[in-house]
Amino acid sequence: MTAPYPLKTLFKPKSVAILGASRTKGRPGNNVVKNLVEMNFNGEIYPINPHTDELYGLKVYPNIFSVDDIECGIIVLPTKIVVSAVKDCIKKGIKSVIIITEGFAETGTDKGVNYQRELKNLSKKINILGTGTLGVINLPDFSSTYVEIEGLKQNGNVAFISQSGIFTGGMVHYFRTHDFNMSKIISLGNKIGVDDADIIDYLYDDGYTNVICLYIEGITDGNRFIKSARKFIKNRGPIIVLKGGKSPEGKKAALSHTSSIAIDNEIFNSVIKQTGMIAVENLNDFISLSKAFSLYPNEIRGNRIAIITYSGALGVLTSDQCSKFGLKLASLSEKTAEKIKEVIYNRNPYNNPIDTYPATLKSGNERTFITCLKAVLEDPGVDSCILTAWGSDKPDKAENSYSNHLKDVIIEYHKKNKPTIVAVIGEKYGIERQRAFLEKNGVITTIFAD
Amino acid sequence: MTAPYPLKTLFKPKSVAILGASRTKGRPGNNVVKNLVEMNFNGEIYPINPHTDELYGLKVYPNIFSVDDIECGIIVLPTKIVVSAVKDCIKKGIKSVIIITEGFAETGTDKGVNYQRELKNLSKKINILGTGTLGVINLPDFSSTYVEIEGLKQNGNVAFISQSGIFTGGMVHYFRTHDFNMSKIISLGNKIGVDDADIIDYLYDDGYTNVICLYIEGITDGNRFIKSARKFIKNRGPIIVLKGGKSPEGKKAALSHTSSIAIDNEIFNSVIKQTGMIAVENLNDFISLSKAFSLYPNEIRGNRIAIITYSGALGVLTSDQCSKFGLKLASLSEKTAEKIKEVIYNRNPYNNPIDTYPATLKSGNERTFITCLKAVLEDPGVDSCILTAWGSDKPDKAENSYSNHLKDVIIEYHKKNKPTIVAVIGEKYGIERQRAFLEKNGVITTIFAD
C-alpha cells in the first residue's frame, strides 16, 4: 500500500485547499478554483495565496495554517517550493495531496530527481497523487482539475485511469463532448505515492465501476498490480489496457514524460496473461472499446457473431477482422434461415455474412434489415451481431423510421445479453448524425465494421 | 490481355446505350440514365427499352439495332437475358459492355455458374467489365453508375479500384461528401473480362494517376498482375492494397460475393513482396492513406520523423506507432535545438517528441508550435512531421489565427517535399471543424496521432 490514508479523502474530500490559487484567469491555479465553485462542491473550499483576498466569491487565505481542518490539498505551486508545501500539509494533518506541478524526475535534471526522491519519502505520511497529474474527476462529488468539465457526465460504469496529465485533459474534452458517461477519471502522473493498484482497489468497492480503461507506461509494483487487477477482473469486469513505450523510441519518450521506466514488452505480456486484461494497440481502439463498454455494460454470452451487411466486400472484410480477434461466424439455424428467406429471395439464406443487397430493392430497407436482425438475435447459436446501416445527409421519412425501429430492436436484445454493433456508412453528415442518434439511445456504433 | 479493345471505350466512350433503362425512379436502370444526363455526358446517350418512348428528355429505343454506332453498353437487365444481350452487343459492334446485373457464379447455383462461363467465352470478342459492377466513374467525361455522384470531384491523382459493386457505391458517397479528389473510380465485380492488370495499365498512361488504391479478393492472372503493378510503382507511384478474404471465414464470404477464389495469404504476401505494394490491414487505414496521398502527391525524402505534441502520452504512443511502421524519430540538429529553446524553456531542446506543454502557457500556442514546426521542417535531418493541434467547439481569435498560420507553413513545406500530418484532438465539433478546415486547404489530418 502506497497510500497511508483512505482514498476517500482524494475522491470525495470534505474540505479542500488550493495551494497556489491564482488570480490570473486561464492559469491552472485559477481554473481549479473556478471548477470547484461551478460544480457546486459540497464541502469547504480554501484558496491559499498570501497576495489575494478573494476569488470567485471565496475568501482567500494566506496559508494553510490560517484555516480549519483540511482533508485534501491541491498543489499548483512552482516546482521548487512543492516539497516544503507537502511538509506543511503533513504538519497540518492533511490526508491527501494532488500535485499538479510538473518539473520533477521527468526533466532528467539532478534537481528534479532529488525533489522527487524527497517526495517519495514523504509519501509514507500522506497520500500523494502526482506529480504532473490532473488529479481526480469524480462528479458530482469532486474535481481537482483545471481543464473544462462542463457537460461531463459521470454516472456510468467505466473508469478511466491514465498515467498522463495533459493526455487525460484531452480525453476529458473528448468524453464531455462525445457523450461518454464515465464513472471516475484519474490521472496518476509520476506515481510518487498513489499508483494504479491503489486506484483499482478503490474502484473495486465504489459500487459503480465494472470496466476500467487504463493507460500505463510503467508499473511501480508488479505483484501488487497483478493481484489488484486480477481481483477486479474476476469479480467486477474487464480492464482494457493501452501501454505506452513499447518501442525503444516510445520508451525513451516515456522516461522524459512521467519519469517512468517503461516495462519491457515481455514482462508486460506476462502481466497481461496473468491478469486477463484486454490489451489494445492504439488510442482509437482504446476509446472505441471504452465507449462500447459504457453503452453495453452487460455480459456477452460467447464469440459467435452474425454479420448483416449492404455490401459483400464489407462482409468479407468484417469476417476477416472477426477471425483476427478470435470471433467465429455463427452457423444460422433452420428457423433463422426460414425467416431470412422471407426478405432475401436471391441468396442462400444460411449465408453469414448476410448480404442484403439487392434484396432491399424489393423487400425494402427497414423490413429486410429488421427481419434479419430479429432472426439472428433470436437464434440461440448467435451471441452478437454486427450490422451495417446507412446515414444520409438529408434522411427521408423511411430512413428515420428505420433508424428508430433499429434502435428499439437493439436495445430490446441488450436486455437479453445480445449486443449489436452498428457500422454506419454513407454521406459525411449522415454518418455523424446517424451515429450520434444511435449512441444517444444506447447503441454501440462504429464507422467501418472492420 | 483480357480486353480485346482499347479501354478508352470504357472510360471515355463516344456513345453509350443503356440496356434495361427503366422508367421507375430509384431503380438502377433509371439512375444510370439520370446520372448521364445530369453530368452532361458529351456523347450520344441511347436508353434501350421496348416499352418506353422517352426518359429524362431523351428518346428511348426499342433495341440496340435501331440506333447508330454504339461504343459502350451498360447492361442493367435481368440475369437470365444478359448472355443473349451481350451476344447482340457483339453483333452490333459495341466495343465495351459494363454489366451491372448480379446473380452469376457468386450465387453458387448451376445456372449462375453456366451463365458466367458463357460470358467468359464472349469476353474474347468484347470488353466485359463486371458482372455485378458499378462500372467506371470518370468525371467529367463519363459515369456508368447508378449511385449519386453529385459533388464528386475527379481531377485528382488517386485512383480507386475495387472488386466490389456496392462497396464502391458506398465509397463514392464517402468520397463525394468528404472532399476526396480521386482521378478514376473503377468497380470490377466478378472480373469476367477486364481485370486489375488491364486497369492498372490504362491508368499508367492516363496522365493523372500516380497513386492507386486497390481492394481485391482474388487475382485472375498473377504474373500479368505482378508485371503491371511493378511497372506502375516503378514509374508512377504507390499502390495501396486492401485484401478481402484473409481468414477462412472471409474467404468463404468472398466466394459468395464476387465468385472469387480469394488468394492464399502466403501467395498474396509473395505478390506484395514482388511488386512493392503497400498492404493495409483495414478499411480505416485504406481510406486514411487514400486521403493522405490525394492531399500530398509529392515524394517523401525518407523515414525520419519529428513529433510535436501537447501531451507526453501522445508523444509516447505516436513514437510507438512510428516504430511499428519502420519510421525513425529524427535526431534534431544544434541549430534546430537553439530555435526550439526560444519557446520551450523547461525541457531538453533536443527531445523528440517535442512536448510543448506547459511551455505554451508562457510562450503562447501559436508562437510555440509554429516556431517548433518551422525549426524541424528546416532541419535537413527531418523528413516529415506529426503535429498535434487542438479544435475547440467555439474557437477564439487566437485559435483561428493559429490554424491559418499552421496551414500556411505546412503547405509551404509540402512544396519542399516535407509533409506534416496534423492530429486533431479537442472537443467534438471542434475536431470536425478543424479537420475540415485543414483538409480543405490541403493539409493531411487524422484524429489520433497513433
Side-chain angles (χ1 to χ4, degrees), chain B residues 115-270:
Chain B
Y115 285 147
Q116 183 150 334
R117 195 176 301 130
E118 287 193 70
L119 288 176
K120 182 80 202 161
N121 286 331
L122 297 174
S123 73
K124 287 164 205 139
K125 299 178 191 157
I126 190 167
N127 297 337
I128 296 184
L129 182 63
T131 57
T133 176
L134 223 68
V136 164
I137 311 179
N138 179 29
L139 300 179
D141 292 333
F142 181 56
S143 155
S144 72
T145 187
Y146 55 89
V147 303
E148 199 181 329
I149 49 175
E150 210 194 301
L152 188 68
K153 278 179 296 185
Q154 289 203 274
N155 51 356
N157 60 306
V158 181
F160 178 80
I161 309 176
S162 157
Q163 194 156 358
S164 181
I166 295 304
F167 169 60
T168 309
M171 291 311 302
V172 168
H173 287 295
Y174 196 88
F175 293 152
R176 73 180 175 76
T177 58
H178 284 78
D179 272 325
F180 276 66
N181 193 353
M182 312 301 281
S183 62
K184 292 176 176 61
I185 297 168
I186 306 102
S187 146
L188 292 171
N190 287 14
K191 298 195 210 176
I192 286 172
V194 176
D195 66 12
D196 315 80
D198 297 322
I199 300 289
I200 293 172
D201 289 345
Y202 180 81
L203 296 173
Y204 185 88
D205 283 323
D206 78 350
Y208 299 100
T209 305
N210 65 11
V211 179
I212 293 176
C213 296
L214 180 65
Y215 170 73
I216 48 169
E217 292 171 1
I219 291 179
T220 34
D221 178 343
N223 288 331
R224 209 159 49 80
F225 178 86
I226 290 171
K227 218 178 121 192
S228 299
R230 211 191 245 160
K231 186 175 140 205
F232 187 93
I233 292 167
K234 191 176 165 205
N235 300 312
R236 292 293 180 268
I239 298 181
I240 302 153
V241 62
L242 174 63
K243 183 183 170 291
K246 279 191 179 168
S247 62
E249 286 83 359
K251 217 165 171 172
K252 209 178 127 201
L255 191 62
S256 65
H257 173 222
T258 52
S259 77
S260 282
I261 311 291
I263 33 174
D264 282 332
N265 294 339
E266 216 172 297
I267 298 175
F268 179 69
N269 289 339
S270 144

Side-chain angles (χ1 to χ4, degrees), chain A residues 136-202:
Chain A
V136 163
I137 311 179
N138 179 29
L139 300 179
D141 291 333
F142 181 56
S143 155
S144 72
T145 187
Y146 56 89
V147 303
E148 199 181 329
I149 50 175
E150 209 194 302
L152 187 67
K153 278 179 295 185
Q154 290 203 273
N155 51 355
N157 60 306
V158 180
F160 178 80
I161 310 176
S162 156
Q163 194 157 356
S164 181
I166 296 303
F167 170 60
T168 309
M171 292 311 302
V172 168
H173 287 295
Y174 196 88
F175 293 152
R176 72 179 176 76
T177 58
H178 284 79
D179 272 325
F180 276 66
N181 192 352
M182 313 302 280
S183 62
K184 291 175 177 62
I185 297 168
I186 306 100
S187 146
L188 292 172
N190 287 14
K191 298 195 210 177
I192 286 173
V194 176
D195 67 11
D196 316 81
D198 297 322
I199 301 290
I200 294 172
D201 288 345
Y202 180 80

Side-chain angles (χ1 to χ4, degrees), chain A residues 289-343:
Chain A
L289 270 183
S290 318
K291 181 95 191 207
F293 277 114
S294 81
L295 292 171
Y296 182 82
N298 307 357
E299 257 185 88
I300 301 171
R301 292 154 185 251
N303 66 347
R304 299 162 306 171
I305 204 153
I307 299 172
I308 308 176
T309 175
Y310 272 105
S311 141
L314 288 179
V316 172
L317 290 170
T318 310
S319 305
D320 281 347
Q321 291 293 328
C322 286
S323 157
K324 198 170 150 190
F325 292 107
L327 300 171
K328 287 215 162 70
L329 292 187
S331 301
L332 305 181
S333 73
E334 201 185 319
K335 207 170 151 190
T336 304
E338 261 166 38
K339 292 181 201 161
I340 290 174
K341 227 174 170 172
E342 284 172 31
V343 286

